[in-house]
């Protein structure tokens, strides 16, 4: 069974610890280091794994970032099926987390931050998403196939929420 638990108020602190570990090594390459994913949304059920985006200004710095992270023990995993996003496997000794590199303003970057910000403003959507995740976690095993199946099973709702986050952004822009 996949472990999905209630929101843990310690998650922002765990993100900050990871950000502090990474920042000195990538500060000259990064625009920011963002807390993304469900652990970045108060009240959202989640797997207890912090997701971080290292946001860079342009693709040209990504090779240098890959090299710097490799020096810190991260293993570059490529795009993992999401063009414009680079994934990294954390060193075994580090707290468990998912690390990505995205270009500022790119689709993968906006997908992460707009969804996070949308959910932070909509507790009803957080409850809906949390309920689905908890139900799916009961159905799938905690092995690699189960995690893939879990992700696939929640993808329709994630896509719906991402679309709503873009629509909310467009509506805000139309007003201002």
């Amino acid at each position: 069974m996949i472990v999905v638990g209630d929101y843990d108020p310690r998650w922002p602190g765990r993100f900050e610890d990871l950000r502090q570990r990474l920042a000195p090594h990538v500060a000259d390459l990064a625009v920011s280091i963002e807390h993304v994913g469900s652990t970045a949304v108060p009240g959202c059920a989640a797997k207890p794994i912090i997701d971080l985006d290292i946001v860079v200004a342009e693709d040209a710095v990504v090779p240098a970032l890959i090299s710097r992270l490799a020096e810190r023990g991260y293993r570059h995993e490529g795009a993992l099926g999401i063009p414009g996003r680079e994934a990294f496997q954390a060193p075994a000794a580090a707290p468990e987390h998912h690390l990505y590199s995205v270009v500022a303003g790119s689709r993968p970057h906006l997908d992460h931050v707009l969804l996070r910000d949308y959910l932070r403003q909509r507790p009803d959507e957080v409850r809906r998403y949390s309920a689905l995740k908890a139900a799916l976690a009961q159905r799938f095993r905690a092995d690699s196939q189960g995690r893939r199946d879990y992700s696939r099973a929640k993808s329709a709702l994630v896509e719906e929420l991402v679309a709503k986050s873009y629509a909310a952004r467009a509506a805000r822009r139309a007003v201002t």
Side-chain angles (χ1 to χ4, degrees):
M1 175 170 55
I2 294 174
V3 176
V4 170
D6 291 338
Y7 178 78
D8 186 333
R10 295 175 295 182
W11 288 338
R14 290 187 182 148
F15 159 75
E16 186 57 31
D17 289 343
L18 289 164
R19 191 188 72 72
Q20 292 288 338
R21 290 177 189 219
L22 289 164
H25 308 288
V26 301
D28 61 322
L29 301 175
V31 172
S32 63
I33 300 174
E34 298 274 347
H35 186 188
V36 295
S38 296
T39 63
V41 178
C44 193
K47 294 181 300 242
I49 302 168
I50 304 300
D51 291 348
L52 302 94
D53 278 353
I54 297 178
V55 183
V56 298
E58 58 186 355
D59 280 324
V61 302
V62 172
L65 181 65
I66 291 169
S67 177
R68 297 256 187 98
L69 292 172
E71 291 169 3
R72 308 299 317 152
Y74 286 86
R75 186 170 58 81
H76 181 228
E77 296 183 305
L80 299 180
I82 300 178
R85 182 193 80 178
E86 299 296 320
F88 299 87
Q89 184 177 48
E96 190 172 11
H97 61 285
H98 294 150
L99 181 65
Y100 306 100
S101 169
V102 294
V103 174
S106 67
R107 181 70 191 222
H109 176 232
L110 293 176
D111 285 357
H112 283 172
V113 297
L114 291 178
L115 177 59
R116 174 199 65 199
D117 295 348
Y118 176 81
L119 288 173
R120 284 177 173 175
Q121 299 300 315
R122 290 166 180 81
D124 55 325
E125 295 283 35
V126 171
R127 284 189 293 277
R128 182 173 162 227
Y129 185 37
S130 294
L132 176 66
K133 289 168 50 165
L136 293 175
Q138 297 295 315
R139 285 182 41 202
F140 298 108
R141 295 171 53 126
D143 58 14
S144 59
Q145 183 62 48
R147 286 187 294 274
R148 280 192 296 275
D149 292 343
Y150 167 85
S151 292
R152 252 185 248 116
K154 69 177 185 155
S155 67
L157 180 56
V158 170
E159 289 170 15
E160 175 192 326
L161 294 171
V162 167
K164 286 181 174 181
S165 73
Y166 277 91
R169 176 181 156 205
R172 283 191 309 276
R173 287 183 166 183
V175 172
T176 57

